Coordinates of all heavy atoms in Angstrom, one line a residue:
M194 N 142.3 79.8 118.2 CA 141.1 80.2 118.8 C 141.0 81.7 118.8 O 139.9 82.3 118.5 CB 141.1 79.6 120.2 CG 139.8 79.9 120.9 SD 138.5 79.1 120.2 CE 137.3 79.5 121.4
R195 N 142.1 82.4 119.1 CA 142.2 83.8 119.2 C 141.8 84.5 117.8 O 141.2 85.5 117.7 CB 143.5 84.3 119.6 CG 143.5 85.8 120.0 CD 144.8 86.1 120.6 NE 144.7 86.0 122.1 CZ 145.8 86.2 122.9 NH1 147.0 86.4 122.4 NH2 145.6 86.2 124.1
L196 N 142.3 83.8 116.7 CA 142.0 84.3 115.3 C 140.5 84.2 115.0 O 140.0 85.2 114.5 CB 142.8 83.5 114.4 CG 142.6 83.8 112.9 CD1 143.0 85.3 112.6 CD2 143.3 82.9 112.0
I197 N 140.0 83.2 115.5 CA 138.5 83.0 115.2 C 137.7 84.0 116.0 O 136.7 84.6 115.4 CB 138.0 81.5 115.6 CG1 138.7 80.5 114.6 CG2 136.5 81.4 115.6 CD1 138.5 79.1 115.1
V198 N 138.0 84.3 117.2 CA 137.2 85.3 118.0 C 137.5 86.7 117.3 O 136.6 87.4 117.2 CB 137.9 85.4 119.4 CG1 137.3 86.5 120.3 CG2 137.5 84.0 120.1
T199 N 138.7 86.9 116.8 CA 138.9 88.3 116.2 C 138.2 88.4 114.9 O 137.6 89.5 114.7 CB 140.4 88.5 115.9 OG1 141.2 88.2 117.1 CG2 140.8 89.8 115.3
L200 N 138.1 87.3 114.1 CA 137.3 87.4 112.9 C 135.8 87.5 113.2 O 135.1 88.3 112.5 CB 137.5 86.0 112.1 CG 138.9 86.0 111.4 CD1 139.0 84.6 110.8 CD2 139.2 87.1 110.4
V201 N 135.2 86.9 114.2 CA 133.9 87.0 114.5 C 133.6 88.4 115.1 O 132.6 89.0 114.7 CB 133.4 85.9 115.6 CG1 132.1 86.2 116.2 CG2 133.5 84.6 115.1
L202 N 134.5 88.9 115.8 CA 134.4 90.4 116.3 C 134.3 91.4 115.1 O 133.5 92.2 115.1 CB 135.5 90.7 117.3 CG 135.5 92.0 117.9 CD1 134.1 92.2 118.7 CD2 136.7 92.3 118.8
L203 N 135.2 91.2 114.2 CA 135.3 92.0 113.0 C 134.0 91.8 112.2 O 133.5 92.8 111.6 CB 136.5 91.7 112.2 CG 137.9 92.2 112.8 CD1 139.0 91.7 111.9 CD2 137.9 93.7 112.9
L204 N 133.5 90.7 112.1 CA 132.3 90.5 111.3 C 131.1 91.2 112.0 O 130.3 91.8 111.3 CB 132.0 89.0 111.3 CG 130.6 88.6 110.7 CD1 130.6 88.8 109.2 CD2 130.3 87.1 111.0
F205 N 131.0 91.2 113.4 CA 129.9 91.9 114.0 C 130.1 93.4 113.9 O 129.1 94.1 113.8 CB 129.8 91.5 115.5 CG 129.0 90.2 115.7 CD1 129.7 89.0 115.9 CD2 127.7 90.2 115.5 CE1 129.0 87.8 116.0 CE2 126.9 89.0 115.7 CZ 127.6 87.8 115.9
I206 N 131.4 93.8 113.9 CA 131.6 95.3 113.7 C 131.2 95.7 112.3 O 130.5 96.8 112.2 CB 133.1 95.6 114.0 CG1 133.4 95.5 115.6 CG2 133.4 97.0 113.6 CD1 134.8 95.6 115.8
A207 N 131.5 95.0 111.4 CA 131.1 95.3 110.1 C 129.5 95.2 109.8 O 129.0 96.2 109.2 CB 131.7 94.3 109.1
A208 N 128.9 94.3 110.5 CA 127.4 94.3 110.4 C 126.9 95.5 111.1 O 125.9 96.0 110.6 CB 127.0 93.0 111.0
G209 N 127.4 95.9 112.3 CA 126.9 97.0 113.0 C 127.2 98.4 112.1 O 126.2 99.2 112.1
V210 N 128.2 98.5 111.5 CA 128.5 99.6 110.6 C 127.4 99.6 109.5 O 126.9 100.7 109.2 CB 129.9 99.6 110.1 CG1 130.1 100.8 109.1 CG2 130.8 99.9 111.2
A211 N 127.2 98.5 108.9 CA 126.3 98.4 107.7 C 124.9 98.8 108.2 O 124.1 99.5 107.6 CB 126.4 97.1 107.1
L212 N 124.5 98.1 109.4 CA 123.2 98.5 110.0 C 123.0 99.9 110.2 O 121.9 100.6 109.9 CB 123.0 97.7 111.3 CG 121.6 97.8 111.9 CD1 120.6 96.9 111.2 CD2 121.7 97.4 113.3
G213 N 124.0 100.6 110.8 CA 124.0 102.0 111.1 C 123.9 102.9 109.8 O 123.1 103.8 109.8
A214 N 124.6 102.5 108.7 CA 124.6 103.2 107.6 C 123.2 103.0 106.8 O 122.7 104.0 106.2 CB 125.7 102.7 106.8
L215 N 122.6 101.9 106.9 CA 121.4 101.6 106.2 C 120.2 102.3 106.9 O 119.2 102.4 106.3 CB 121.2 100.2 106.0 CG 122.1 99.5 105.0 CD1 122.0 97.9 105.0 CD2 122.1 100.1 103.6
N216 N 120.4 102.5 108.2 CA 119.2 103.1 109.0 C 119.6 104.4 109.6 O 119.5 104.7 110.8 CB 118.9 102.1 110.2 CG 118.3 100.8 109.6 OD1 117.3 100.8 109.0 ND2 118.9 99.7 109.9
A217 N 120.0 105.3 108.7 CA 120.5 106.6 109.2 C 119.4 107.7 109.4 O 119.7 108.7 110.0 CB 121.6 107.2 108.2
D218 N 118.2 107.4 109.0 CA 117.1 108.4 109.2 C 116.7 108.5 110.6 O 116.8 107.5 111.4 CB 115.9 108.1 108.2 CG 115.4 106.7 108.3 OD1 116.3 105.9 108.6 OD2 114.2 106.5 108.0
L219 N 116.3 109.8 110.9 CA 115.9 110.0 112.5 C 114.5 109.6 112.7 O 113.6 109.6 112.0 CB 116.1 111.6 112.7 CG 117.4 112.1 112.6 CD1 117.3 113.6 112.8 CD2 118.3 111.6 113.7
V220 N 114.4 109.1 113.9 CA 113.1 108.7 114.5 C 113.0 109.4 115.8 O 113.8 109.4 116.7 CB 113.1 107.1 114.7 CG1 111.8 106.6 115.4 CG2 113.4 106.3 113.4
G221 N 111.7 109.9 116.0 CA 111.4 110.6 117.3 C 111.0 109.7 118.4 O 110.3 108.7 118.1
Y222 N 111.5 109.8 119.6 CA 111.1 109.0 120.7 C 110.5 109.9 121.9 O 111.1 111.0 122.1 CB 112.3 108.2 121.3 CG 112.9 107.3 120.3 CD1 114.0 107.6 119.5 CD2 112.2 106.0 120.3 CE1 114.3 106.7 118.5 CE2 112.7 105.0 119.3 CZ 113.8 105.4 118.5 OH 114.3 104.4 117.7
D223 N 109.4 109.6 122.3 CA 108.8 110.3 123.5 C 108.7 109.4 124.7 O 107.9 108.4 124.7 CB 107.4 110.8 123.1 CG 106.7 111.7 124.0 OD1 107.3 112.0 125.1 OD2 105.6 112.1 123.8
L224 N 109.4 109.7 125.7 CA 109.4 108.8 126.8 C 108.5 109.4 128.0 O 108.4 108.9 129.1 CB 110.8 108.8 127.4 CG 111.9 108.1 126.5 CD1 113.3 108.2 127.2 CD2 111.5 106.8 126.1
G225 N 107.7 110.4 127.7 CA 106.8 111.0 128.7 C 107.5 112.2 129.4 O 106.9 113.2 129.5
F226 N 108.7 112.0 129.8 CA 109.4 113.1 130.5 C 110.5 113.6 129.7 O 111.0 114.7 129.9 CB 110.1 112.6 131.8 CG 111.0 111.4 131.6 CD1 112.3 111.6 131.3 CD2 110.6 110.0 131.7 CE1 113.2 110.5 131.1 CE2 111.4 109.0 131.5 CZ 112.7 109.2 131.2
A227 N 110.7 113.1 128.5 CA 111.8 113.6 127.6 C 111.4 113.2 126.1 O 110.9 112.1 125.9 CB 113.2 113.1 127.9
R228 N 111.7 114.1 125.2 CA 111.6 113.8 123.7 C 112.9 114.0 123.1 O 113.6 115.0 123.4 CB 110.6 114.7 123.1 CG 109.2 114.5 123.6 CD 108.2 115.4 122.8 NE 106.9 115.2 123.3 CZ 105.8 116.0 123.1 NH1 106.1 117.1 122.4 NH2 104.7 115.8 123.5
F229 N 113.3 113.1 122.3 CA 114.6 113.2 121.4 C 114.4 112.4 120.2 O 113.5 111.7 120.0 CB 115.7 112.8 122.3 CG 115.5 111.4 122.9 CD1 116.0 110.3 122.2 CD2 115.0 111.2 124.0 CE1 115.9 109.0 122.7 CE2 114.8 109.9 124.6 CZ 115.2 108.9 123.9
Q230 N 115.4 112.7 119.3 CA 115.4 112.1 118.0 C 116.8 111.4 117.8 O 117.8 112.0 118.2 CB 115.3 113.0 116.8 CG 113.9 113.5 116.8 CD 113.7 114.4 115.5 OE1 114.6 115.0 114.9 NE2 112.3 114.5 115.0
L231 N 116.7 110.2 117.4 CA 118.0 109.4 117.2 C 117.9 108.7 115.8 O 116.8 108.4 115.4 CB 118.2 108.3 118.4 CG 118.5 108.7 119.6 CD1 118.5 107.5 120.6 CD2 120.0 109.2 119.6
P232 N 119.0 108.5 115.2 CA 119.0 107.6 114.0 C 118.6 106.2 114.5 O 118.8 105.8 115.5 CB 120.4 107.6 113.6 CG 121.1 108.7 114.3 CD 120.4 109.0 115.5
K233 N 117.9 105.5 113.6 CA 117.4 104.2 113.9 C 118.5 103.2 114.3 O 118.4 102.4 115.3 CB 116.7 103.6 112.7 CG 115.3 104.1 112.4 CD 114.7 103.3 111.2 CE 113.9 104.1 110.4 NZ 113.3 103.3 109.3
G234 N 119.6 103.3 113.5 CA 120.7 102.5 113.9 C 121.3 102.7 115.3 O 121.6 101.7 115.9
A235 N 121.4 103.9 115.7 CA 121.9 104.2 117.0 C 120.9 103.7 118.1 O 121.3 103.2 119.2 CB 122.2 105.7 117.2
A236 N 119.6 103.9 117.8 CA 118.6 103.4 118.8 C 118.7 101.9 118.9 O 118.6 101.3 120.0 CB 117.2 103.8 118.4
L237 N 118.9 101.2 117.8 CA 118.9 99.8 117.8 C 120.2 99.3 118.5 O 120.1 98.3 119.4 CB 118.9 99.2 116.4 CG 118.9 97.7 116.2 CD1 117.7 97.1 116.9 CD2 118.9 97.3 114.8
L238 N 121.2 99.9 118.3 CA 122.6 99.6 118.8 C 122.4 99.8 120.4 O 123.0 99.0 121.2 CB 123.6 100.4 118.3 CG 125.0 100.2 118.9 CD1 125.5 98.7 118.6 CD2 126.0 101.2 118.3
A239 N 121.8 100.9 120.8 CA 121.7 101.2 122.3 C 120.8 100.2 122.9 O 121.1 99.7 124.1 CB 121.1 102.6 122.4
A240 N 119.7 99.8 122.3 CA 118.9 98.7 122.8 C 119.5 97.4 122.9 O 119.4 96.7 123.9 CB 117.6 98.7 122.0
M241 N 120.4 97.0 121.9 CA 121.1 95.7 121.9 C 122.1 95.8 123.2 O 122.3 94.9 123.8 CB 121.7 95.5 120.6 CG 120.8 95.1 119.6 SD 121.3 94.4 118.0 CE 122.9 95.2 117.8
A242 N 122.8 96.9 123.2 CA 123.8 97.1 124.2 C 123.2 97.0 125.6 O 123.7 96.3 126.5 CB 124.6 98.3 124.1
L243 N 122.0 97.7 125.8 CA 121.4 97.7 127.1 C 120.9 96.3 127.4 O 121.0 95.7 128.6 CB 120.1 98.6 127.1 CG 119.4 98.7 128.4 CD1 120.3 99.2 129.5 CD2 118.2 99.6 128.2
G244 N 120.3 95.5 126.5 CA 119.9 94.2 126.6 C 121.1 93.2 127.0 O 121.0 92.3 127.8
W245 N 122.2 93.5 126.3 CA 123.4 92.6 126.6 C 123.9 92.8 128.0 O 124.2 91.9 128.8 CB 124.5 93.0 125.6 CG 125.8 92.2 125.7 CD1 126.0 91.0 125.4 CD2 127.0 92.8 126.2 NE1 127.3 90.7 125.7 CE2 127.9 91.7 126.2 CE3 127.4 93.9 126.7 CZ2 129.2 91.9 126.7 CZ3 128.6 94.2 127.2 CH2 129.6 93.1 127.1
L246 N 124.0 94.1 128.4 CA 124.3 94.4 129.8 C 123.5 93.9 130.8 O 123.9 93.3 131.8 CB 124.6 95.9 130.0 CG 125.7 96.6 129.2 CD1 125.7 98.1 129.3 CD2 127.0 96.1 129.8
L247 N 122.1 94.1 130.6 CA 121.1 93.6 131.7 C 121.2 92.0 131.6 O 121.1 91.4 132.6 CB 119.8 94.1 131.4 CG 119.6 95.6 131.6 CD1 118.1 96.0 131.2 CD2 119.9 95.9 133.0
G248 N 121.2 91.4 130.5 CA 121.4 89.9 130.5 C 122.6 89.4 131.2 O 122.6 88.4 131.9
G249 N 123.8 90.1 130.9 CA 125.0 89.7 131.6 C 124.9 89.9 133.0 O 125.3 89.1 133.8
L250 N 124.3 91.0 133.5 CA 124.1 91.3 135.0 C 123.3 90.2 135.7 O 123.5 89.7 136.7 CB 123.6 92.6 135.1 CG 123.3 93.1 136.6 CD1 124.7 93.2 137.3 CD2 122.6 94.5 136.7
T251 N 122.3 89.9 134.9 CA 121.2 88.8 135.5 C 122.0 87.5 135.5 O 121.8 86.8 136.6 CB 120.1 88.7 134.6 OG1 119.4 90.0 134.5 CG2 119.1 87.7 135.1
A252 N 122.7 87.1 134.6 CA 123.4 85.9 134.6 C 124.5 85.8 135.7 O 124.7 84.9 136.4 CB 124.1 85.5 133.3
W253 N 125.2 86.9 135.8 CA 126.2 87.0 136.9 C 125.6 86.9 138.2 O 126.1 86.3 139.1 CB 127.0 88.3 136.7 CG 128.0 88.5 137.7 CD1 129.2 87.8 137.9 CD2 128.0 89.5 138.9 NE1 129.9 88.3 138.9 CE2 129.2 89.3 139.5 CE3 127.1 90.4 139.3 CZ2 129.6 90.0 140.7 CZ3 127.5 91.1 140.4 CH2 128.6 90.9 141.1
L254 N 124.5 87.7 138.5 CA 123.9 87.6 139.8 C 123.3 86.3 140.1 O 123.4 85.8 141.3 CB 122.8 88.7 140.0 CG 123.2 90.2 140.0 CD1 122.1 91.2 139.9 CD2 124.0 90.4 141.2
G255 N 122.8 85.7 139.1 CA 122.3 84.3 139.2 C 123.3 83.2 139.6 O 123.1 82.4 140.6
T256 N 124.4 83.3 139.0 CA 125.5 82.4 139.4 C 126.2 82.7 140.7 O 126.5 81.8 141.5 CB 126.6 82.3 138.2 OG1 127.1 83.6 138.1 CG2 126.0 81.7 136.9
S257 N 126.2 84.0 141.0 CA 126.8 84.3 142.2 C 126.0 83.9 143.4 O 126.6 83.4 144.4 CB 127.0 85.9 142.3 OG 127.8 86.4 141.4
A258 N 124.7 84.1 143.3 CA 123.7 83.5 144.4 C 123.9 82.1 144.5 O 123.9 81.5 145.7 CB 122.4 84.0 144.1
R259 N 123.9 81.3 143.4 CA 124.1 79.9 143.4 C 125.3 79.5 144.2 O 125.4 78.5 145.0 CB 123.9 79.3 142.1 CG 123.9 77.8 142.1 CD 123.8 77.2 140.7 NE 125.1 77.3 140.1 CZ 125.4 77.3 138.8 NH1 124.5 76.9 138.0 NH2 126.6 77.4 138.4
H260 N 126.4 80.1 143.8 CA 127.7 79.8 144.4 C 127.7 80.1 145.8 O 128.3 79.4 146.6 CB 128.9 80.6 143.6 CG 129.1 80.0 142.3 ND1 130.2 79.3 142.0 CD2 128.5 80.2 141.1 CE1 130.2 78.9 140.7 NE2 129.2 79.4 140.2
R261 N 127.2 81.2 146.3 CA 127.1 81.5 147.7 C 126.3 80.5 148.4 O 126.7 79.9 149.5 CB 126.4 82.9 148.0 CG 127.3 84.0 147.8 CD 126.7 85.3 148.4 NE 125.5 85.6 147.8 CZ 125.3 86.4 146.7 NH1 126.4 86.9 146.1 NH2 124.0 86.6 146.2
R262 N 125.2 80.0 147.9 CA 124.3 79.0 148.4 C 125.1 77.7 148.5 O 125.1 76.9 149.6 CB 123.0 78.7 147.6 CG 122.0 77.9 148.3 CD 120.7 78.0 147.5 NE 120.7 78.0 146.1 CZ 120.5 79.0 145.3 NH1 120.2 80.1 145.8 NH2 120.7 78.8 144.0
Q263 N 125.8 77.2 147.5 CA 126.6 76.0 147.5 C 127.7 76.1 148.5 O 128.1 75.1 149.3 CB 127.3 75.8 146.2 CG 126.2 75.3 145.1 CD 126.9 75.2 143.7 OE1 128.0 75.7 143.5 NE2 126.1 74.6 142.8
R264 N 128.4 77.2 148.8 CA 129.4 77.4 149.7 C 128.8 77.3 151.1 O 129.4 76.7 152.1 CB 130.1 78.7 149.6 CG 131.2 78.8 148.4 CD 132.1 80.0 148.5 NE 131.4 81.3 148.6 CZ 131.1 82.0 147.6 NH1 131.5 81.7 146.4 NH2 130.4 83.2 147.8
R265 N 127.6 77.9 151.3 CA 127.0 77.8 152.7 C 126.7 76.4 153.0 O 126.9 75.9 154.1 CB 125.7 78.7 152.6 CG 125.2 79.0 154.0 CD 124.0 80.0 154.0 NE 123.2 79.9 152.8 CZ 122.9 80.9 151.9 NH1 123.4 82.0 152.1 NH2 122.2 80.6 150.9
H266 N 126.1 75.6 152.0 CA 125.8 74.2 152.3 C 127.0 73.4 152.5 O 127.0 72.4 153.4 CB 125.0 73.6 151.1 CG 123.6 74.1 151.0 ND1 122.7 74.0 152.0 CD2 122.9 74.8 150.0 CE1 121.6 74.5 151.6 NE2 121.6 75.0 150.4
A267 N 128.2 73.7 151.8 CA 129.4 73.0 152.1 C 129.9 73.3 153.4 O 130.5 72.3 154.1 CB 130.4 73.3 150.9
A268 N 129.8 74.6 153.9 CA 130.3 74.9 155.2 C 129.5 74.2 156.3 O 130.0 73.7 157.2 CB 130.2 76.4 155.4
R269 N 128.2 74.1 156.1 CA 127.3 73.4 157.0 C 127.8 71.9 157.0 O 127.7 71.3 158.1 CB 125.9 73.6 156.7 CG 125.3 74.9 156.9 CD 123.8 74.9 156.7 NE 123.3 76.3 156.7 CZ 122.3 76.8 156.1 NH1 121.5 75.9 155.4 NH2 121.9 78.0 156.2
A270 N 128.0 71.3 155.9 CA 128.3 69.9 155.9 C 129.6 69.6 156.6 O 129.7 68.7 157.4 CB 128.4 69.4 154.5
T271 N 130.6 70.5 156.4 CA 131.9 70.3 157.1 C 131.8 70.6 158.6 O 132.4 69.9 159.5 CB 133.0 71.2 156.5 OG1 132.6 72.5 156.6 CG2 133.3 70.8 155.1
D272 N 130.8 71.6 159.0 CA 130.7 71.9 160.4 C 130.0 70.7 161.2 O 130.3 70.3 162.3 CB 129.8 73.1 160.6 CG 130.6 74.4 160.3 OD1 131.9 74.2 160.2 OD2 130.0 75.4 160.0
S273 N 129.1 70.0 160.4 CA 128.4 68.9 161.1 C 129.2 67.6 161.2 O 129.0 66.8 162.0 CB 127.1 68.5 160.2 OG 127.5 68.0 159.0
K274 N 130.2 67.6 160.4 CA 131.3 66.5 160.5 C 132.3 66.6 161.5 O 132.9 65.7 162.1 CB 131.9 66.3 159.1 CG 131.1 65.7 158.1 CD 131.8 65.6 156.8 CE 130.9 65.2 155.7 NZ 131.7 65.1 154.4
L275 N 132.5 67.8 162.1 CA 133.4 68.1 163.2 C 132.9 67.6 164.5 O 131.7 67.6 164.8 CB 133.7 69.5 163.3 CG 134.5 70.2 162.1 CD1 134.6 71.7 162.4 CD2 135.9 69.5 161.9
P276 N 133.8 67.0 165.4 CA 133.3 66.6 166.7 C 132.8 67.8 167.5 O 133.4 68.9 167.4 CB 134.4 65.9 167.3 CG 135.6 66.0 166.4 CD 135.1 66.7 165.1
A277 N 131.9 67.6 168.4 CA 131.4 68.7 169.3 C 132.4 69.3 170.2 O 132.3 70.5 170.6 CB 130.1 68.3 169.9
D278 N 133.2 68.4 170.7 CA 134.3 68.9 171.7 C 135.5 69.4 171.1 O 136.5 69.8 171.9 CB 134.6 67.8 172.7 CG 135.1 66.6 172.1 OD1 135.2 66.6 170.7 OD2 135.6 65.7 172.8
A279 N 135.6 69.6 169.8 CA 136.9 70.1 169.2 C 137.0 71.5 169.3 O 136.5 72.4 169.6 CB 136.8 69.7 167.7

């Protein structure tokens, strides 16, 4: 399994290097408050990394909220099963 993960990782690294090499020309970006030029490959890589991070953060926050809600419901269920004079 570890070998497969390593091979897939190397494949994606090679694809990223090829993508960056084939898209080396500069493109201007104007954000309204800043202007800069980046190679197309670097801009694409930055956009993919930002999307990956935001997607991971969203998934993590979603599962964390669900787990907290499940723990709260489980705690309420066990509290309701306890006798009142205990």
Side-chain angles (χ1 to χ4, degrees):
M194 182 69 174
R195 193 175 264 175
L196 177 64
I197 294 171
V198 171
T199 303
L200 290 174
V201 169
L202 182 62
L203 288 174
L204 176 72
F205 278 104
I206 289 172
V210 168
L212 182 78
L215 293 173
N216 294 300
D218 48 333
L219 293 177
V220 176
Y222 295 95
D223 185 3
L224 301 177
F226 57 88
R228 290 182 181 169
F229 53 92
Q230 290 187 335
L231 284 174
K233 283 186 214 176
L237 183 60
L238 180 63
M241 288 188 334
L243 182 64
W245 180 74
L246 289 172
L247 290 176
L250 180 66
T251 302
W253 179 72
L254 289 174
T256 58
S257 294
R259 188 181 71 197
H260 286 257
R261 280 195 301 270
R262 193 170 41 252
Q263 288 174 346
R264 282 194 307 265
R265 195 172 37 235
H266 288 302
R269 285 182 191 159
T271 57
D272 287 344
S273 66
K274 291 180 182 177
L275 293 176
D278 60 352

